[in-house]
Amino acid sequence: MSEDFKRKLQDYAEGKLTDEEREEVEREMEKMEVYQAYLEEVVTQSDQKHSREGEDRQTTRNRIPPLKEAVIIRRGKWKARVMNVFTVLSVLLVLTVISMIITGVFYGSGTPDRMKAYRDVVESAVAVSHPNLKVNMNGTGNAFFTMDFTGKLNKRVGDEEIGVADFSMRFLLNLASAPQITWQGNIIGGNSIFYHPDYKPANQSEQQETNRREEERFNHNEWIKLEKLPEGTVAEAYLSLDRLFSTDELLKQFEHKNMDPVWFAVDTGLDPKQVDSGGAITNPVGFPYFPIWQSDDMTVDFYSEEKTGWFGKVVSSGGSYPSLESYGDGEKRNGYFKKTLYMLQKNKGISTKVAPFLQLDHTIDYVEKNGVRLYGAVITGPVKELLKLREEPWVRDIRVGEVQLWNWQSRE
């Protein structure tokens, strides 16, 4: 602050400036609040000086411009603003803490708790509606009643599971949002094409369709693709069958082959909405080779629970799921599949977010009436072993999916 300006402030306080000079000083003071602090000190000294000279308070107030009062008012306004901001932040902090407590209680309650129950629904919906895909997720509770599930979409190729996409999904209490799926590289969901054995073009006779299928079985481009793959590779393949198989019948087809079934496509009828112009099933429904276990399928061997904090707890448990024959127990597998469908139907608000095309009511009614019958399967194994299926009359069509370097242990 210059000495000239200090002098003007001194004159301003003592009322010696003209109206024009006084207005100029006031404009400068509005721009620079630091001057106001200095002026307050000058005004205080001036008050004391005139009090010593015997002037009464009313005379002093009439002689000095109302600057001191303006400074006090200005400071009061800023103090009020700061207090308002502090109050708002305090309220937000309290609401955040309360919402986090409610969120933890909501998702942590129940047997099994809601976080696990919702995770089971999402994982089951993926397994039923996406051939040879499964997701393993972790749930994280947030403030304001939300929970995020994140995980990887994996598929089995050879003896290994490979990550093909990132998966995330948000819940607001029991309301689910549509999942976000980010496919990796050139993967966009796989070559999951199946053909139903009862489908044939309207303009072809049954014999013409049989001849066409026989020709495709030997000259199909997918067989040529398998032939050209290197010796030391494994692949996944999507098989369409020449008829409807029971689960046990289809499992027996792979019992002595150096390959593994990983997913089965279940007949739900030839709905025109689910079949494209070429006869391919656009949105197949099925179940994985390893059943989709639910919480009550486990036999609990031990369980312990330890409280942490006011509302948290750490649960430790262990047990085992039912055993299944590698190439049998078809009725058990069918039962687990139907149980999964009923669970998804009960939680339709979540499952239809994961797979909007699932027609659960129709699928359950059809399967209960006609049984679990299979028209397709996803398999994996060495490419040269998969080529041998070209000689199998029950294989109507094949589509090659993902290919990986050798990671296989022989089954023979």
Side-chain angles (χ1 to χ4, degrees):
M1 184 181 298
S2 68
E3 293 298 323
D4 180 67
F5 195 80
K6 288 182 180 180
R7 181 183 56 76
K8 287 184 178 181
L9 287 177
Q10 184 71 37
D11 293 342
Y12 179 91
E14 296 178 356
K16 296 179 180 181
L17 297 178
T18 64
D19 291 343
E20 182 177 352
E21 290 173 331
R22 180 168 54 80
E23 290 176 358
E24 180 181 357
V25 170
E26 290 176 349
R27 284 195 299 269
E28 288 298 319
M29 286 189 297
E30 290 178 355
K31 297 178 182 178
M32 302 178 63
E33 291 187 5
V34 66
Y35 290 161
Q36 296 184 23
Y38 178 79
L39 183 58
E40 184 179 14
E41 181 181 348
V42 172
V43 171
T44 302
Q45 294 174 354
S46 179
D47 280 345
Q48 293 173 352
K49 176 182 176 181
H50 288 287
S51 295
R52 288 194 298 269
E53 293 175 355
E55 294 185 2
D56 59 23
R57 178 176 294 273
Q58 185 61 39
T59 303
T60 301
R61 290 177 62 87
N62 292 337
R63 181 182 55 77
I64 299 178
L67 177 61
K68 186 174 180 179
E69 288 81 355
V71 171
I72 295 174
I73 293 173
R74 186 180 184 87
R75 287 188 173 182
K77 288 182 178 178
W78 276 106
K79 185 177 181 180
R81 290 170 184 168
V82 170
M83 290 301 297
N84 288 340
V85 171
F86 180 77
T87 301
V88 170
L89 292 177
S90 299
V91 171
L92 287 176
L93 179 60
V94 171
L95 290 177
T96 300
V97 172
I98 293 175
S99 71
M100 291 180 67
I101 294 173
I102 295 175
T103 300
V105 171
F106 179 82
Y107 292 114
S109 61
T111 305
D113 60 61
R114 286 188 176 92
M115 179 177 288
K116 188 178 188 314
Y118 293 167
R119 183 179 62 214
D120 288 347
V121 174
V122 174
E123 292 179 353
S124 297
V126 169
V128 164
S129 61
H130 293 76
N132 193 24
L133 281 180
K134 73 174 186 177
V135 60
N136 296 317
M137 301 185 305
N138 294 315
T140 304
N142 307 314
F144 303 109
F145 324 115
T146 63
M147 178 180 62
D148 289 326
F149 280 129
T150 57
K152 284 278 188 181
L153 277 176
N154 300 317
K155 66 166 48 186
R156 167 94 179 274
V157 183
D159 271 340
E160 296 180 356
E161 288 188 357
I162 62 172
V164 296
D166 294 315
F167 183 98
S168 63
M169 193 169 182
R170 168 162 286 194
F171 280 77
L172 175 61
L173 296 179
N174 63 343
L175 300 177
S177 65
Q180 300 296 317
I181 301 177
T182 304
W183 298 98
Q184 299 177 3
N186 296 323
I187 299 174
I188 55 174
N191 192 17
S192 54
I193 295 178
F194 297 103
Y195 292 93
H196 197 283
D198 293 339
Y199 175 84
K200 64 176 184 296
N203 58 351
Q204 288 187 1
S205 66
E206 185 172 342
Q207 185 59 46
Q208 288 175 323
E209 177 64 11
T210 300
N211 294 338
R212 184 187 66 81
R213 292 183 185 180
E214 189 69 15
E215 182 180 355
E216 281 188 354
R217 194 160 61 86
F218 288 95
N219 301 321
H220 199 294
N221 288 335
E222 298 295 308
W223 295 116
I224 298 174
K225 184 186 297 184
L226 280 175
E227 287 178 345
K228 294 184 179 298
L229 288 173
E231 179 77 24
T233 53
V234 293
E236 67 166 345
Y238 297 78
L239 301 182
S240 296
L241 313 178
D242 72 330
R243 63 181 177 86
L244 296 175
F245 281 71
S246 70
T247 304
D248 280 321
E249 286 177 324
L250 187 54
L251 284 169
K252 292 298 182 184
Q253 298 296 329
F254 299 103
E255 186 170 7
H256 301 294
K257 292 181 172 61
N258 191 21
M259 61 188 70
D260 288 341
V262 293
W263 195 86
F264 303 107
V266 177
D267 171 39
T268 58
L270 277 172
D271 187 344
K273 296 179 181 179
Q274 302 293 329
V275 181
D276 68 11
S277 58
I281 305 296
T282 54
N283 294 305
V285 174
F287 59 93
Y289 174 81
F290 292 104
I292 309 166
W293 303 116
Q294 298 180 33
S295 300
D296 57 356
D297 293 324
M298 175 186 283
T299 300
V300 179
D301 298 328
F302 70 90
Y303 180 91
S304 65
E305 186 176 302
E306 180 181 351
K307 291 186 177 181
T308 58
W310 290 353
F311 301 98
K313 63 181 179 180
V314 176
V315 175
S316 299
S317 63
S320 59
Y321 292 105
S323 60
L324 294 170
E325 293 183 12
S326 298
Y327 299 98
D329 282 331
E331 285 305 312
K332 284 186 180 180
R333 296 174 188 270
N334 297 344
Y336 291 129
F337 169 60
K338 289 190 285 187
K339 183 179 179 181
T340 299
L341 291 179
Y342 280 109
M343 184 266 283
L344 295 178
Q345 185 187 45
K346 182 180 178 180
N347 298 275
K348 193 179 295 185
I350 300 173
S351 58
T352 53
K353 288 291 185 179
V354 178
F357 55 84
L358 279 177
Q359 301 179 17
L360 290 167
D361 296 339
H362 164 77
T363 298
I364 290 172
D365 290 343
Y366 188 92
V367 168
E368 289 290 6
K369 180 179 180 180
N370 299 282
V372 177
R373 303 181 299 173
L374 312 179
Y375 66 87
V378 183
I379 62 172
T380 188
V383 293
K384 300 308 177 185
E385 295 295 323
L386 300 183
L387 269 170
K388 296 178 182 179
L389 293 174
R390 183 159 51 179
E391 307 299 326
E392 299 286 347
W394 52 274
V395 177
R396 169 187 172 180
D397 184 86
I398 189 171
R399 301 285 166 159
V400 181
E402 296 300 312
V403 179
Q404 296 286 306
L405 293 176
W406 188 266
N407 60 20
W408 188 258
Q409 293 184 359
S410 177
R411 295 340 185 222
E412 298 178 342

